[in-house]
Amino acid sequence: MKVALLCIGSELTVGAISETNSNILSSKLEKYGHEIETIIIVPDDLAVISAQIQYLCEHYDYIFVSGGLGNTFDDITREAVSNFTKLPLKKNLDLPEKMAYTISDAQVFSNKVGLAPGMIVDFNDKKIILLPGVPAEFDYLLDEILEKLFLEKISNLYVYFYHLLLRFERSVEKELPDELLNDYEVFLTILGLDSEVLLILRTDSEKKAKYWDKRLRKIFKDCLYYAGTTRSNFETEICKILKMKGQTLSVAESCTGGLLSSRLAVIPGVSSVYLGTIVTYSIDSKKKLCGFSGNTVSPEAALSIAKASKDFFDSDWAIGVVCYAGPEGDNVGQSYISIVGDKTYSFEKAFKGGRNFILKRVSSFALANFLEVISKR
């Protein structure tokens, strides 16, 4: 089955906001053994939208359409789909104005996060799936719609995820046996992420699924921090391990300004293990809060703020993070991580890229190394 995504909105084409629904859709499609083959972004223009829907229906089986289902003059996705399919709009919902109209004979899905409903339109053996552009609404409706579309088709599909800590794609590929790489019944994906590699194995053979799951767990046992039928991440596994050990964590951040802590804060139940964060962004704050007056981007600075956080929150563990985020200077991207627990662990790495990219990579690097430390204790 070939899948495409059409994202509609002039706010996307002029760069006013970033397109994120493709990330949501691609991550959820993995469960069903599918991936997006094409992503197209178009403005709020009736002729352009209609032309792209026609093109996608000629080349793809499932066309997901995001955006243009609101109540303003430029929300014209319904009209574009109706014009192309020749299926009339009909008023059959108790919703304001334009949102009360749906495509004739479409399956309609109620939106409990917002107002605009989702729809599945059957057209010439193709499925056109209409979803609101607001990411929270898109995400909410997508679960029910994907289950409706694909659940009966995945009864014999086996999908496994393997998260490999602090590894690189090429080194992982070299460890994969030729037997697996040449197995036509197994589809394998290798994704290089921040401070980790994600392996995704798909097969419709239960025997092959069990065989390769056992083999991969053994091959990568030294760096495998999670394996299962759903994805995970550093912060989720950190929370699990700390809960299991009855231990707590605090954080001290400088350059990342709370980014690392925000990743922990979104994990349900993290309050039982995560105590809080000290943000020592300025030189003065490091002096006042931590008593540190040396080189503010150094192993010593990372250690000083980590110790201050551990003492202040009386936590079992503390992470200290400092770096040069740039964009100017001779050492842009240089980062230092200190982890303080029963003993002290220090890590450093230089990252390349823009400021936002560096900060994200540094926070991942810190979490990855902390996960490795507590996994081995």
Side-chain angles (χ1 to χ4, degrees):
M1 295 293 182
K2 300 182 68 176
V3 178
L5 173 63
L6 177 63
C7 301
I8 297 171
S10 296
E11 66 274 19
L12 298 172
T13 57
V14 300
I17 64 172
S18 298
E19 191 286 303
T20 59
N21 287 339
S22 58
N23 293 333
I24 297 171
L25 177 59
S26 61
S27 64
K28 291 180 182 290
L29 281 174
E30 286 176 346
K31 172 184 175 182
Y32 301 93
H34 296 297
E35 60 185 23
I36 307 172
E37 295 190 22
T38 295
I39 300 170
I40 298 175
I41 302 176
V42 297
D44 297 305
D45 183 299
L46 188 63
V48 173
I49 297 170
S50 298
Q52 290 301 327
I53 291 174
Q54 178 178 348
Y55 166 78
L56 293 172
C57 283
E58 290 171 354
H59 296 87
Y60 297 89
D61 303 297
Y62 294 88
I63 300 91
F64 289 83
V65 183
S66 164
L69 298 179
N71 220 12
T72 58
F73 71 93
D74 55 352
D75 290 313
I76 51 178
T77 298
R78 297 179 196 81
E79 290 84 347
V81 174
S82 177
N83 290 348
F84 168 66
T85 61
K86 308 303 181 187
L87 296 171
L89 292 170
K90 62 178 182 179
K91 186 176 182 179
N92 65 347
L93 297 176
D94 185 21
L95 290 172
E97 302 175 21
K98 295 175 72 172
M99 287 188 285
Y101 289 84
T102 62
I103 307 293
S104 180
D105 298 327
Q107 299 177 66
V108 180
F109 297 81
S110 177
N111 183 352
K112 296 181 180 179
V113 176
L115 289 176
M119 287 177 263
I120 298 177
V121 179
D122 289 291
F123 178 74
N124 290 349
D125 297 325
K126 305 298 175 77
K127 302 282 188 183
I128 304 173
I129 301 97
L130 308 185
L131 291 156
V134 179
E137 299 179 36
F138 182 92
D139 191 1
Y140 170 80
L141 284 165
L142 196 55
D143 287 326
E144 184 179 0
I145 286 176
L146 289 179
E147 186 171 308
K148 182 74 174 180
L149 288 172
F150 298 128
L151 189 59
E152 294 179 358
K153 299 179 176 64
I154 65 165
S155 56
N156 294 322
L157 180 67
Y158 302 89
V159 183
Y160 291 89
F161 300 89
Y162 305 89
H163 289 266
L164 310 179
L165 189 62
L166 296 167
R167 297 297 298 272
F168 298 97
E169 288 176 86
R170 185 57 180 151
S171 65
V172 168
E173 184 182 5
K174 289 180 178 179
E175 294 185 54
L176 294 171
D178 290 338
E179 181 188 357
L180 172 58
L181 297 175
N182 296 323
D183 192 332
Y184 69 91
E185 291 186 84
V186 176
F187 182 76
L188 190 68
T189 302
I190 307 176
L191 300 176
L193 306 176
D194 288 341
S195 298
E196 68 171 314
V197 168
L198 174 63
L199 280 179
I200 307 173
L201 182 143
R202 301 185 184 94
T203 180
D204 57 7
S205 167
E206 182 180 9
K207 182 178 179 180
K208 288 290 181 73
K210 290 180 177 179
Y211 172 75
W212 284 117
D213 180 49
K214 184 177 180 179
R215 287 282 304 274
L216 289 173
R217 288 172 186 263
K218 184 176 181 180
I219 291 169
F220 297 108
K221 60 183 174 60
D222 292 335
C223 62
L224 181 68
Y225 78 84
Y226 171 84
T229 56
T230 59
R231 280 197 186 196
S232 189
N233 53 46
F234 299 142
E235 40 272 39
T236 297
E237 298 309 311
I238 285 171
C239 185
K240 287 180 183 178
I241 292 173
L242 291 178
K243 282 184 177 180
M244 180 180 66
K245 295 183 175 183
Q247 296 178 338
T248 56
L249 168 68
S250 63
V251 178
E253 300 185 59
S254 178
C255 58
T256 48
L259 177 61
L260 188 156
S261 303
S262 69
R263 293 175 60 170
L264 292 168
V266 299
I267 305 301
V270 76
S271 59
S272 64
V273 296
Y274 167 57
L275 302 185
T277 294
I278 297 174
V279 177
T280 59
Y281 198 83
S282 68
I283 294 174
D284 284 344
S285 65
K286 290 180 179 65
K287 290 180 180 178
K288 293 177 181 178
L289 296 174
C290 308
F292 184 79
S293 57
N295 182 350
T296 55
V297 182
S298 63
E300 294 77 18
L303 177 59
S304 176
I305 64 174
K307 285 182 175 179
S309 180
K310 187 176 188 299
D311 291 342
F312 181 83
F313 291 104
D314 193 25
S315 57
D316 296 297
W317 295 94
I319 305 172
V321 183
V322 298
C323 76
Y324 286 108
E328 299 177 353
D330 296 330
N331 297 306
V332 173
Q334 182 63 48
S335 65
Y336 299 97
I337 312 297
S338 184
I339 296 170
V340 180
D342 55 348
K343 58 185 291 189
T344 298
Y345 306 83
S346 298
F347 307 91
E348 64 176 272
K349 189 169 183 177
F351 296 98
K352 295 181 180 180
R355 185 178 179 87
N356 289 342
F357 182 77
I358 288 172
L359 294 177
K360 184 175 183 296
R361 296 292 296 274
V362 169
S363 67
S364 293
F365 183 62
L367 289 170
N369 279 287
F370 179 63
L371 177 57
E372 184 177 47
V373 167
I374 62 173
S375 297
K376 294 180 178 180
R377 298 302 298 167

